Amino acid sequence: MIHRIWNRLLIELTPSCERVTRILSESQERPLSRWERLGLAAHYRICSWCHRYQRQLALLRSVARKAGAQGIGVDRVLSERAKARIARTLRDAPSGRQSTPQRSKPE
Amino acid sequence: MSSPGVAARDRVHAWVDEHADFLYRYAYSRVFEENLAEDLVQETFLAALQASDRFSGRSSVRTWLVSILKHKVVDHFRKVARQDRESLDSFFREELSEHFGEDGHWRLEARTTPTNWPPEQQMLLDQKAFWKQLETCLRHLPPRVREVFVLREMEDLDTPEICRLLGISQQNLWSVMHRARMALRGCLDVNWVRVLGRA
């Protein structure tokens, strides 16, 4: 009974899940205030979803950084047509100023 | 600027053979358009040719080429963001009500309540398939929103720099990132983690 009242109190006193997800996102952009950190810690006691959400955001950042460094699509290669076009552009690049590159045409 | 000599042209041609595929993957991972990625790679090699006499050799050729390409990508995003403000504005107007009830807590009946994700190592066990799914999820984001996410999370640019480049306020950037993260993690949750769990 006391446990239920305590949880009800925490639900009322801590930020809503919607607010918590926003704070969690902003925690990746700025330092959180002491009250915000306290609010999150209290909220996690009653909401495992938001706690999971916190871990998901951390993992999302980590995999996005990996994708940025390695490039998505390990087997994606520049077409021979594009390589030939680049070679032509480099060969024809005029001296002394930036040339106007040939653009690829949408297929 | 001095004229690129024969030796410089030969050197850059060799760089095309060695680094073009990597640069293309790098560009494609950010712009998600094959033709545009090809153009950015071409512009990178052209800039490298024009500046090859200034390449000091302090960093590797690939690192130098990537730094040129990164500038090309950022410059492209800057130009399109200034031409198209509407899609970012409409993204701000969208509600997050599909995830949360009127009381602001997760809607139990929604498919998007966060599941317990496995450790990263397990998530990336089949890395090729995972990148494909991540690409699909990123493609579902509106292009202008995806570009903000790419600048922040893939290029690791900080908030003030992105705001300056795209001409948006800090609050708007935080809102975009919040919604982009919510959408991406929801997409991965439904299409990757829950599928892994069923395997």
Side-chain angles (χ1 to χ4, degrees):
Chain A
M1 182 67 182
I2 292 174
H3 188 249
R4 225 183 311 163
I5 294 170
W6 174 241
N7 277 355
R8 191 67 242 166
L9 202 64
L10 279 179
I11 289 171
E12 294 302 325
L13 292 179
T14 67
S16 68
C17 297
E18 190 170 4
R19 176 77 191 132
V20 164
T21 57
R22 167 101 195 187
I23 295 171
L24 285 173
S25 178
E26 289 187 12
S27 74
Q28 300 200 332
E29 313 300 333
R30 63 171 175 88
L32 298 183
S33 69
R34 186 178 296 174
W35 280 112
E36 285 172 325
R37 279 184 277 128
L38 210 62
L40 288 182
H43 188 87
Y44 293 152
R45 295 184 71 89
I46 50 159
C47 182
S48 58
W49 285 323
C50 285
H51 206 183
R52 288 175 181 177
Y53 190 85
Q54 177 209 27
R55 292 198 296 266
Q56 291 183 356
L57 288 198
L59 212 151
L60 183 63
R61 165 162 282 185
S62 177
V63 297
R65 297 264 153 99
K66 279 202 175 74
Q70 297 172 15
I72 289 172
V74 281
D75 49 1
R76 197 176 282 280
V77 293
L78 191 61
S79 68
E80 289 306 315
R81 177 188 51 77
K83 282 181 186 164
R85 181 165 56 87
I86 291 173
R88 266 199 316 278
T89 305
L90 291 174
R91 193 189 58 224
D92 299 341
S95 59
R97 63 186 168 82
Q98 187 80 25
S99 66
T100 308
Q102 301 172 42
R103 292 267 170 181
S104 60
K105 294 180 184 66
E107 285 163 2
Chain B
M1 190 181 288
S2 63
S3 143
V6 175
R9 284 177 205 268
D10 288 347
R11 196 163 59 232
V12 177
H13 274 290
W15 291 346
V16 174
D17 292 337
E18 199 174 340
H19 303 293
D21 288 337
F22 179 84
L23 294 179
Y24 176 64
R25 276 195 296 277
Y26 183 99
Y28 182 84
S29 301
R30 282 143 179 85
V31 299
F32 296 93
E33 277 181 53
E34 291 179 356
N35 287 318
L36 178 58
E38 286 177 6
D39 287 343
L40 290 168
V41 171
Q42 174 171 295
E43 286 172 23
T44 298
F45 282 119
L46 208 49
L49 175 67
Q50 300 292 343
S52 61
D53 55 339
R54 293 203 299 275
F55 174 57
S56 64
R58 275 200 297 264
S59 59
S60 74
V61 173
R62 179 169 289 189
T63 304
W64 183 59
L65 292 171
V66 165
S67 72
I68 298 173
L69 176 57
K70 181 175 173 172
H71 279 104
K72 301 277 176 201
V73 169
V74 169
D75 198 44
H76 168 74
F77 286 170
R78 186 183 58 78
K79 282 178 190 157
V80 291
R82 283 166 195 274
Q83 287 161 4
D84 174 20
R85 295 210 172 279
E86 177 54 29
S87 43
L88 264 188
D89 290 343
S90 63
F91 196 63
F92 292 136
R93 288 195 292 270
E94 279 174 31
E95 295 297 323
L96 290 173
S97 53
E98 60 167 310
H99 305 291
F100 304 104
E102 282 178 12
D103 59 356
H105 293 287
W106 292 100
R107 279 174 54 189
L108 304 189
E109 70 278 16
R111 289 177 74 220
T112 50
T113 47
T115 56
N116 203 7
W117 283 13
E120 184 176 330
Q121 208 180 1
Q122 209 175 322
M123 287 275 279
L124 299 180
L125 216 50
D126 184 353
Q127 204 168 102
K128 206 167 146 181
F130 179 80
W131 291 147
K132 202 168 177 187
Q133 185 57 58
L134 182 62
E135 179 184 339
T136 306
C137 291
L138 282 164
R139 277 183 174 283
H140 283 151
L141 293 178
R144 300 295 87 78
V145 173
R146 187 173 63 228
E147 286 154 14
V148 174
F149 182 84
V150 165
L151 289 174
R152 181 70 189 101
E153 298 294 28
M154 290 188 175
E155 296 295 359
D156 197 16
L157 299 188
D158 60 21
T159 302
E161 195 171 0
I162 298 172
C163 291
R164 185 180 56 77
L165 279 168
L166 306 183
I168 58 175
S169 70
Q170 187 170 263
Q171 286 296 330
N172 282 358
L173 174 72
W174 291 347
S175 293
V176 171
M177 287 305 298
H178 170 43
R179 283 156 191 252
R181 286 175 178 130
M182 177 69 77
L184 277 176
R185 74 97 220 151
C187 178
L188 286 174
D189 205 276
V190 170
N191 297 297
W192 185 254
V193 178
R194 290 178 201 225
V195 173
L196 271 186
R198 284 200 295 271

PDB file of all heavy atoms in Angstrom, chain B residues 168-180:
ATOM      1  N   ILE B 168      19.619  28.383 -37.911  1.00  0.00           N
ATOM      2  CA  ILE B 168      18.499  28.068 -37.013  1.00  0.00           C
ATOM      3  C   ILE B 168      18.900  28.342 -35.571  1.00  0.00           C
ATOM      4  O   ILE B 168      20.087  28.426 -35.257  1.00  0.00           O
ATOM      5  CB  ILE B 168      18.013  26.594 -37.145  1.00  0.00           C
ATOM      6  CG1 ILE B 168      19.159  25.601 -36.864  1.00  0.00           C
ATOM      7  CG2 ILE B 168      17.424  26.345 -38.510  1.00  0.00           C
ATOM      8  CD1 ILE B 168      18.710  24.144 -36.869  1.00  0.00           C
ATOM      9  N   SER B 169      17.888  28.475 -34.699  1.00  0.00           N
ATOM     10  CA  SER B 169      18.188  28.764 -33.297  1.00  0.00           C
ATOM     11  C   SER B 169      18.572  27.477 -32.572  1.00  0.00           C
ATOM     12  O   SER B 169      18.294  26.373 -33.041  1.00  0.00           O
ATOM     13  CB  SER B 169      16.958  29.376 -32.614  1.00  0.00           C
ATOM     14  OG  SER B 169      15.962  28.377 -32.467  1.00  0.00           O
ATOM     15  N   GLN B 170      19.185  27.664 -31.410  1.00  0.00           N
ATOM     16  CA  GLN B 170      19.598  26.509 -30.596  1.00  0.00           C
ATOM     17  C   GLN B 170      18.388  25.671 -30.177  1.00  0.00           C
ATOM     18  O   GLN B 170      18.419  24.440 -30.219  1.00  0.00           O
ATOM     19  CB  GLN B 170      20.326  27.044 -29.373  1.00  0.00           C
ATOM     20  CG  GLN B 170      20.968  25.993 -28.511  1.00  0.00           C
ATOM     21  CD  GLN B 170      21.865  26.630 -27.477  1.00  0.00           C
ATOM     22  OE1 GLN B 170      23.056  26.729 -27.649  1.00  0.00           O
ATOM     23  NE2 GLN B 170      21.278  27.080 -26.394  1.00  0.00           N
ATOM     24  N   GLN B 171      17.302  26.370 -29.781  1.00  0.00           N
ATOM     25  CA  GLN B 171      16.080  25.659 -29.357  1.00  0.00           C
ATOM     26  C   GLN B 171      15.523  24.812 -30.500  1.00  0.00           C
ATOM     27  O   GLN B 171      15.092  23.675 -30.287  1.00  0.00           O
ATOM     28  CB  GLN B 171      15.012  26.670 -28.896  1.00  0.00           C
ATOM     29  CG  GLN B 171      15.290  27.302 -27.547  1.00  0.00           C
ATOM     30  CD  GLN B 171      15.280  26.289 -26.409  1.00  0.00           C
ATOM     31  OE1 GLN B 171      14.575  25.297 -26.475  1.00  0.00           O
ATOM     32  NE2 GLN B 171      16.071  26.520 -25.381  1.00  0.00           N
ATOM     33  N   ASN B 172      15.523  25.383 -31.709  1.00  0.00           N
ATOM     34  CA  ASN B 172      15.025  24.629 -32.857  1.00  0.00           C
ATOM     35  C   ASN B 172      15.905  23.418 -33.148  1.00  0.00           C
ATOM     36  O   ASN B 172      15.419  22.344 -33.478  1.00  0.00           O
ATOM     37  CB  ASN B 172      14.958  25.529 -34.104  1.00  0.00           C
ATOM     38  CG  ASN B 172      13.741  26.426 -34.068  1.00  0.00           C
ATOM     39  OD1 ASN B 172      12.940  26.346 -33.150  1.00  0.00           O
ATOM     40  ND2 ASN B 172      13.611  27.281 -35.059  1.00  0.00           N
ATOM     41  N   LEU B 173      17.201  23.606 -33.027  1.00  0.00           N
ATOM     42  CA  LEU B 173      18.122  22.485 -33.264  1.00  0.00           C
ATOM     43  C   LEU B 173      17.845  21.366 -32.264  1.00  0.00           C
ATOM     44  O   LEU B 173      17.775  20.184 -32.634  1.00  0.00           O
ATOM     45  CB  LEU B 173      19.576  22.952 -33.133  1.00  0.00           C
ATOM     46  CG  LEU B 173      20.612  21.828 -33.225  1.00  0.00           C
ATOM     47  CD1 LEU B 173      20.719  21.301 -34.648  1.00  0.00           C
ATOM     48  CD2 LEU B 173      21.974  22.283 -32.750  1.00  0.00           C
ATOM     49  N   TRP B 174      17.664  21.736 -30.992  1.00  0.00           N
ATOM     50  CA  TRP B 174      17.385  20.711 -29.972  1.00  0.00           C
ATOM     51  C   TRP B 174      16.074  19.987 -30.262  1.00  0.00           C
ATOM     52  O   TRP B 174      15.961  18.777 -30.055  1.00  0.00           O
ATOM     53  CB  TRP B 174      17.350  21.347 -28.576  1.00  0.00           C
ATOM     54  CG  TRP B 174      18.699  21.816 -28.102  1.00  0.00           C
ATOM     55  CD1 TRP B 174      19.906  21.507 -28.663  1.00  0.00           C
ATOM     56  CD2 TRP B 174      18.985  22.665 -26.985  1.00  0.00           C
ATOM     57  NE1 TRP B 174      20.927  22.116 -27.963  1.00  0.00           N
ATOM     58  CE2 TRP B 174      20.397  22.829 -26.931  1.00  0.00           C
ATOM     59  CE3 TRP B 174      18.198  23.295 -26.035  1.00  0.00           C
ATOM     60  CZ2 TRP B 174      21.024  23.600 -25.949  1.00  0.00           C
ATOM     61  CZ3 TRP B 174      18.819  24.061 -25.055  1.00  0.00           C
ATOM     62  CH2 TRP B 174      20.214  24.213 -25.011  1.00  0.00           C
ATOM     63  N   SER B 175      15.073  20.766 -30.725  1.00  0.00           N
ATOM     64  CA  SER B 175      13.789  20.134 -31.061  1.00  0.00           C
ATOM     65  C   SER B 175      13.945  19.147 -32.214  1.00  0.00           C
ATOM     66  O   SER B 175      13.403  18.036 -32.174  1.00  0.00           O
ATOM     67  CB  SER B 175      12.762  21.192 -31.473  1.00  0.00           C
ATOM     68  OG  SER B 175      12.433  21.985 -30.385  1.00  0.00           O
ATOM     69  N   VAL B 176      14.678  19.562 -33.232  1.00  0.00           N
ATOM     70  CA  VAL B 176      14.886  18.675 -34.385  1.00  0.00           C
ATOM     71  C   VAL B 176      15.605  17.407 -33.941  1.00  0.00           C
ATOM     72  O   VAL B 176      15.225  16.287 -34.302  1.00  0.00           O
ATOM     73  CB  VAL B 176      15.716  19.382 -35.493  1.00  0.00           C
ATOM     74  CG1 VAL B 176      16.107  18.400 -36.585  1.00  0.00           C
ATOM     75  CG2 VAL B 176      14.922  20.513 -36.092  1.00  0.00           C
ATOM     76  N   MET B 177      16.657  17.576 -33.140  1.00  0.00           N
ATOM     77  CA  MET B 177      17.431  16.411 -32.710  1.00  0.00           C
ATOM     78  C   MET B 177      16.580  15.482 -31.845  1.00  0.00           C
ATOM     79  O   MET B 177      16.673  14.255 -31.959  1.00  0.00           O
ATOM     80  CB  MET B 177      18.683  16.856 -31.942  1.00  0.00           C
ATOM     81  CG  MET B 177      19.770  17.450 -32.811  1.00  0.00           C
ATOM     82  SD  MET B 177      20.296  16.351 -34.161  1.00  0.00           S
ATOM     83  CE  MET B 177      20.943  14.964 -33.261  1.00  0.00           C
ATOM     84  N   HIS B 178      15.747  16.065 -30.982  1.00  0.00           N
ATOM     85  CA  HIS B 178      14.882  15.253 -30.120  1.00  0.00           C
ATOM     86  C   HIS B 178      13.953  14.395 -30.975  1.00  0.00           C
ATOM     87  O   HIS B 178      13.831  13.181 -30.779  1.00  0.00           O
ATOM     88  CB  HIS B 178      14.089  16.191 -29.209  1.00  0.00           C
ATOM     89  CG  HIS B 178      12.988  15.543 -28.435  1.00  0.00           C
ATOM     90  ND1 HIS B 178      13.145  14.316 -27.807  1.00  0.00           N
ATOM     91  CD2 HIS B 178      11.713  15.940 -28.191  1.00  0.00           C
ATOM     92  CE1 HIS B 178      12.005  14.000 -27.218  1.00  0.00           C
ATOM     93  NE2 HIS B 178      11.117  14.946 -27.440  1.00  0.00           N
ATOM     94  N   ARG B 179      13.313  15.029 -31.960  1.00  0.00           N
ATOM     95  CA  ARG B 179      12.362  14.288 -32.807  1.00  0.00           C
ATOM     96  C   ARG B 179      13.083  13.296 -33.713  1.00  0.00           C
ATOM     97  O   ARG B 179      12.571  12.208 -33.979  1.00  0.00           O
ATOM     98  CB  ARG B 179      11.520  15.270 -33.609  1.00  0.00           C
ATOM     99  CG  ARG B 179      10.458  15.890 -32.724  1.00  0.00           C
ATOM    100  CD  ARG B 179       9.983  17.207 -33.233  1.00  0.00           C
ATOM    101  NE  ARG B 179       9.169  17.861 -32.218  1.00  0.00           N
ATOM    102  CZ  ARG B 179       7.851  17.995 -32.297  1.00  0.00           C
ATOM    103  NH1 ARG B 179       7.199  17.541 -33.323  1.00  0.00           N
ATOM    104  NH2 ARG B 179       7.181  18.587 -31.335  1.00  0.00           N
ATOM    105  N   ALA B 180      14.244  13.683 -34.215  1.00  0.00           N
ATOM    106  CA  ALA B 180      15.004  12.759 -35.078  1.00  0.00           C
ATOM    107  C   ALA B 180      15.418  11.525 -34.280  1.00  0.00           C
ATOM    108  O   ALA B 180      15.289  10.386 -34.749  1.00  0.00           O
ATOM    109  CB  ALA B 180      16.237  13.469 -35.640  1.00  0.00           C
TER     110      ALA B 180
END
